Amino acid sequence: MSENWKPGTFVHLDLTVPDAPGMRDFYSAVVGWKPEPLGGDWLMLAPDGTPATGICHARGENADLPPQWLAYIAVDDLDACLAAAREHGGEVVAGPKGEGEGGYAVIRDPEGAVLALIQRGTTCAT
């Protein structure tokens, strides 16, 4: 994980789909991303080699995620942030998954928008 994450900022983007190899090839052709294998999924690199996104299979730990681009926001205390989301009208859609740094959960806000919170030594406003 990047050491440059700031509290409460978007820090990552993943595409989770049933046909990950097809989407890997699609985005390689369309925007020039270069795939690098990463634990059965792919880290997609921009033409200059900078990490751009992940393309993940919708299976195993990701089986409950709908096909979508999923943005991640860094938080310090995932459990506290999930409790705050529920308290303020949101819901937890998936997770939490993993523990400590890198643990994440997908939430839906009161208007229906979905995003992920990923634990990363930052601060969660409650």
Side-chain angles (χ1 to χ4, degrees):
M1 293 191 198
S2 170
E3 293 301 319
N4 296 322
W5 288 2
K6 294 180 183 175
T9 61
F10 286 98
V11 295
H12 187 66
L13 190 64
D14 275 336
L15 175 61
T16 301
V17 291
D19 182 14
M23 292 298 91
R24 172 202 62 203
D25 296 345
F26 174 84
Y27 284 104
S28 290
V30 172
V31 298
W33 288 339
K34 306 217 181 310
E36 182 174 297
L38 181 66
D41 294 320
W42 291 275
L43 173 63
M44 303 299 286
L45 305 175
D48 69 357
T50 304
T53 191
I55 295 184
C56 307
H57 295 279
R59 63 180 181 214
E61 185 175 89
N62 293 331
D64 58 350
L65 298 178
Q68 66 182 330
W69 282 101
L70 185 60
Y72 292 74
I73 295 176
V75 299
D76 182 34
D77 184 335
L78 183 59
D79 291 335
C81 292
L82 295 178
R86 289 182 190 104
E87 179 182 330
H88 293 279
E91 67 178 290
V92 177
V93 175
K97 301 175 183 207
E99 296 180 12
E101 187 171 303
Y104 71 97
V106 180
I107 65 168
R108 181 176 292 119
D109 69 24
E111 291 295 323
V114 176
L115 59 85
L117 303 177
I118 188 165
Q119 191 155 306
R120 176 62 185 175
T122 61
T123 303
C124 177
T126 54

